[in-house]
Amino acid sequence: MKVRLRFAPSPTGGLHLGGVRTVLYNYLFARQNDGDFVLRIEDTDQSRYVPGAEEYIIESLRWAGLEPDEGPHKPGKYGPYRQSERKAQGLYQKYAQQLLDQGNAYYAFDTPEELETMREKFKTAENPSPQYNHILRHRMRNSLHLDQDETKRLLEAGTPYVIRIRMEPGQTVQFTDMIRGEVTFQTDGVDDKVLLKADGMPTYHLAVVVDDFLMEISHAFRGEEWLPSAPVHILLWRYLFGEDKMPQWAHLPLILKPDGNGKLSKRDGDRLGFPVFSMNWTDPRTGEPATGFRETGFLPEAFVNLLAMLGWNDGTGQELFTLDELIEKFSMERVHKGGAKFDFEKAKWFNHEWIKKLPAAAYRHNVAELFAAQGIPTDDAPGAGATHGKFERVLELVKERCHLLPDFIQQAGFFFQAPTTIDTAAVKPKWNDAKNQFFAELVRQLQLAETWDAHTLENNFKEMAAAATIKPGDLLMPLRVMLVGGKFGPHVFDIVEILGREETIHRIKSALKLIND
RNA sequence: GCCGCGUUGGUCAAUCGGUUAAGACGCCUCCCUUUCACGGAGGAAUGAGGGGUUCGAUUCCCCUACGCGGUACCA
C-alpha cells in the first residue's frame, strides 16, 4: 500500500510554527517512503472561515519548500481537497447515515441553550464539566430517549438536529502510536461527540475519518492536542471501514513557550518579541497584525532545519541539515514524546549558520529588496546576471556577522550609501593635529596610489604611520569611523578596496570636516 | 474533578542497566583579530521526590509531585 500523508489545517489564520513542523514531519516521512503528501483544507466551521487563510497556508508551504503533491491548488485523483466541497458532494452525510443505521449514532435535537442548561444543571465540584455521554444522554432530547414516533415527527417537522456517536461504555480502546507506543482509553470517559452538525457540516471527528479513508491515508501525524479524541476516531474507523484499514497514528509533542509552560501562542511571540507564524499575517477581520519568520529575515533552509530539531535529532549530535539530509535521516522512532520550549536565540543561531553556509547568491535578491526598501541603491537588479557584482561580493564579506537578513542593512549598507551620521565621539577625544596631518597626507597618497588592493593599501598605510611616528592602531579606528560611520564592519582595507579611490577620499574629506568642527 | 500524555543543565538534548552523564544554544574567561564578527582553547551548569527490581539504575516497574493537553454543533 502506498504511503500517503496529509496535513489538514483549518484556514482560520496564520500558520503557527508548530503547524509547519507537523507539515515538515509529514513531508519528510512521505518523501522518505516515496509516498504522497496531501494538503486538505478543513473548513467545516463556516463561522470561523477567514478569507485569505488558505492562500496563506499554500504560500507558506511553498516558501518553506514543503510543497504538497496534492491539494486544492494542485488537484489529484482524491479531490476535492476542501471539506466544504466534499460536504457538498454528500460524502459525510452518507457515512453518518450508515452509523445511524448500524446503531452507532443517533439524532440529537437539543438546542445550544439546552446544552448550556444541562451543563449548568449537572455541574458539581466533583464534575465541573458534565459530558453528553452514556449517563446523561437519556435525559436529553435525542432519538435514544424519545420514542420512534416523536423522533420521526421532529425530523419531518424539520427540527434542527445533530448526529452524535453512541459511545458504548465499558470498553477499552487501544492503539499503537508511532511515538508513544500503546495508548489506552476507557470508553466510559469519552462523550457522545457530535459527528454531523445542524448545518449539515461534519465535525472534525467524522471528516478526518471519512477523508483519511477516501484519500487512502496511510499515516496520520498530528499535534498532541488530538490525543484525547483518538478513541472517537478509532471507533469510527471500526464502525465504518475496519481498523485494519486505519492509518498509523503519531501524535507529535507540542512546542512550548520559552518562559513558563504551555503551548506557544502568537501572544507569547508578541510579548517576547519574536515571530510565531511562518509569514506575516494580518487578520482581515480585526486588522491585527502578526509577524512571520520569513519577514523577520529567516532563510527557509534555516526555518526548516530549526523546526526539525525541535523534537527530533539523529543521535549523532549533528544539528545542521539540508532538507535532503533530513529526508534521508529522519525517523519517527527518534521523535520525542515531551514538548520542547522554543528558544529564539537558538533559532537565530540556526539562521546565522545558514547565512554563513549558503553562498550569498542564494539570498542576495531578498537582501536587495530590503536595501531597496531602505532607499539604499545596489547593483542588484532582479534578473540581472551579475553573479560577481559588488553587491554579492559585499554580502559574502559581511555575512558572518549577520544573524537575520535585515542585519545586512547595518553591516553592508555603507558600501552603497555614505553614512549619514558619523560617530565622531569615538574619535574626537583622542584627536590631535598630528592625526589631522596624517589623514591629509593619506588623501594625497591615495590619490596617487597605483594599485588599489587591500593588501598594498594596508602596507602603505602602515609605512605612512611609521613615518609619522603614530601607532597604526590609533589611526585605524578613525579611518573606520570615517568610512562606515561607526565602530563596526569588516577589515578596514577590504572596505577601502571595495569603496574605491573616489569614494574613499570623499568620505575621509567630509569626515575630517566633521571631526574638526 | 475526570481522562490522557509528559518530566536529564537556563534552553535544545545524547544515553537504549555499568560513562569522569556527550554535544549544541546562551552565559563567563582566554587566544586570534589595532572594531565587530568568524575561528580556536577553557569554565560554570543537569537526571523532580519516594519506593521497589537488580551485583549495579538517568535507563525497567509502582506511587507521589509538578507540568501540559483534552473535557464545544473549534479544529
Side-chain angles (χ1 to χ4, degrees), chain A residues 97-106 144 164-168 239:
Chain A
Q97 187 59 50
Q98 182 184 335
L99 291 166
L100 245 18
D101 296 343
Q102 291 171 181
N104 299 126
Y106 60 89
L144 252 28
R164 288 180 180 270
I165 185 171
R166 179 164 170 270
M167 269 291 158
E168 197 63 48
Y239 298 153

Side-chain angles (χ1 to χ4, degrees), chain A residues 428-460:
Chain A
K428 270 190 171 174
K430 289 183 179 175
W431 195 249
N432 57 34
D433 206 44
K435 289 183 182 174
N436 236 339
Q437 286 174 20
F438 175 87
F439 279 99
E441 176 59 20
L442 178 64
V443 168
R444 272 191 293 279
Q445 293 295 327
L446 290 178
Q447 262 154 353
L448 299 171
E450 286 173 17
T451 46
W452 195 268
D453 69 88
H455 192 66
T456 29
L457 254 11
E458 180 169 359
N459 285 340
N460 293 343

Side-chain angles (χ1 to χ4, degrees), chain A residues 11-40:
Chain A
T12 51
L15 186 56
H16 187 277
L17 97 187
V20 183
R21 191 193 56 177
T22 302
V23 173
L24 177 62
Y25 288 5
N26 270 282
Y27 180 89
L28 295 176
F29 192 87
R31 284 290 157 275
Q32 189 172 69
N33 295 285
D34 295 314
D36 298 327
F37 172 52
V38 180
L39 174 65
R40 185 173 72 218

